Amino acid sequence: MSKAAELAALIGSGQAQGDKNLIINGAATVHQRGNQTASNGSAVYFVDRWNMYHNSGALAANLQQSTVVPSGQGFNNSILVDCTTVDSSVGAAEVALLRQIIEGQNLQRLAYGSSGAKSLTISFWVRSTKTGIYVVDIYHADATSRTQSHQYTISQADTWEYKTLTFSGDTSIATDNDNAATFYVQWVLMSGTDHTSGSLATTWQNQTDVNRFVGQVNFFDSTSNNFYLTGVQMEVGDVATAFEHEDIATTLRKCQRYYAIRENTHASSSQYYSMLQAYNTTSIFGYIADYPATMRATPTASQSGSFGAYKKDSGNASMPTTIGNLVGTSYGWRSDGWASGSNLVAGDASVMFANSGAKLMADAEL
Amino acid sequence: MEIKNAKYMKSLTDQEKIGISATIGGTDVTVPLDPANRHYEEILRQVAAGELTIADAD
């Protein structure tokens, strides 16, 4: 096939379009939360959009953004799972999954539930101390839970390898066109027999757990083990194409739909945020700041560092340094009553400030 | 998901419920009363399972 014909075929398949990657932050460049540690029974987010879930009472792991990357591919970062405590006796129900969850409205291009359902191909660079068979599983979480899984093999320890896996389309069950969790794209790191004792589901089938992680090695069998992942791309079609590198602003904007931070990054000075209003002599309330992007859902709000506010005469209102009644709305942070200040006058304006390093967070992850 | 100290919050200005304050994974947060929020969904699940109680607002 000539180059022109190859290009025409790619355009026709939709693979040559921009924004072809259904995975967000596949190069691990955005890392707003900082490094974390895994937690039994919780999905712990670390590198933006990526979380690790496990239900082992034994294992422990550091979850980090790494600068270890495959050479010559244009990557500067990778996702790192660093085993710090082993699980040498894996219980039947135990699993450990590195994953990204995708909302349904971003999957409509797959045309699932129709005769035109499209296949998809996942490509990635992976490096692990533990060699052997690993599994990537897609769990479709809409009304009828469906799964499809494929194996790949890590042949050499601590060596970057490029893998591609193609998942067939599902003509039976559509993906909901909404903002809820629809696809769990999961890199399995450990599994007990509840998920390994059947036959691997290499085509879509209703959820049958024993068919999902068949053959998976136990990555968590040594504290020397490190698992790295980068260059993750999931695209329509049967062929993996070159990774679509993005400018940082594009990737950050995509990530901010799910998690956002407003931080005073000035080294030593406070920063004005917004104008609140005194409700009585000790309390202020009002709108604080917009999120940097429209978020997927009303987010969970949190804060760190110290904040304050001024009185009408620019004197410090001596507010507690933690914002009272901080809530996330559909468009930004607000306080619905920050109490225990002093010498305020109801109805007066009050300028709010953030000290150096203080930040507001909003979490609308799936 | 470890959720502790769950308590309804109410607005100073109109006394309406505005969310649930809680400690999740060691961090103090405010969870909105939005079924699409994963933390609220988990709180509802734990309450239904009898694993969590949400205290009334002050």
Side-chain angles (χ1 to χ4, degrees), chain A residues 31-115:
Chain A
H31 187 45
Q32 296 184 87
R33 294 174 183 80
N35 296 335
Q36 306 288 327
T37 54
S39 176
N40 181 12
S42 295
V44 175
Y45 281 86
F46 56 119
V47 170
D48 276 60
R49 300 278 20 251
W50 292 91
N51 75 67
M52 182 178 153
Y53 171 84
H54 78 84
N55 58 356
S56 161
L59 77 81
N62 291 328
L63 311 175
Q64 301 175 346
Q65 182 193 53
S66 170
T67 55
V68 175
V69 293
S71 64
Q73 301 300 320
F75 299 112
N76 289 303
N77 297 107
S78 63
I79 294 160
L80 166 60
V81 178
D82 170 15
C83 174
T84 56
T85 303
V86 303
D87 186 343
S88 54
S89 181
V90 182
E94 290 181 352
V95 297
L97 310 167
L98 172 63
R99 64 193 188 183
Q100 183 164 133
I101 307 172
I102 302 175
E103 59 185 294
Q105 57 197 349
N106 283 349
L107 296 165
Q108 298 307 301
R109 71 185 72 173
L110 297 175
Y112 275 29
S114 76
S115 59

Side-chain angles (χ1 to χ4, degrees), chain A residues 85-228:
Chain A
T85 303
V86 303
D87 186 343
S88 54
S89 181
V90 182
E94 290 181 352
V95 297
L97 310 167
L98 172 63
R99 64 193 188 183
Q100 183 164 133
I101 307 172
I102 302 175
E103 59 185 294
Q105 57 197 349
N106 283 349
L107 296 165
Q108 298 307 301
R109 71 185 72 173
L110 297 175
Y112 275 29
S114 76
S115 59
K118 294 177 171 60
S119 56
L120 59 84
T121 296
I122 301 175
S123 54
F124 54 94
W125 286 89
V126 63
R127 167 179 163 154
S128 178
T129 313
K130 178 75 176 181
T131 59
I133 294 172
Y134 288 70
V135 172
V136 174
D137 169 87
I138 299 180
Y139 170 66
H140 178 183
D142 289 334
T144 304
S145 299
R146 307 266 284 174
T147 69
Q148 186 175 155
S149 308
H150 293 276
Q151 295 176 337
Y152 64 96
T153 300
I154 293 184
S155 305
Q156 290 186 282
D158 298 317
T159 304
W160 283 104
E161 299 178 27
Y162 179 69
K163 308 294 180 185
T164 70
L165 302 169
T166 296
F167 290 69
S168 58
D170 190 344
T171 57
S172 300
I173 304 294
T175 53
D176 292 346
N177 185 23
D178 60 19
N179 66 345
T182 291
F183 269 13
Y184 289 65
V185 186
Q186 315 191 107
W187 279 255
V188 184
L189 298 175
M190 182 192 82
S191 178
T193 54
D194 284 359
H195 289 79
T196 62
S197 59
S199 300
L200 196 68
T202 56
T203 58
W204 286 106
Q205 64 176 228
N206 290 346
Q207 181 181 357
T208 305
D209 283 341
V210 293
N211 295 342
R212 295 178 64 188
F213 308 154
V214 178
Q216 173 67 43
V217 297
N218 178 13
F219 165 78
F220 288 101
D221 67 355
S222 168
T223 56
S224 298
N225 288 352
N226 291 326
F227 182 91
Y228 298 89

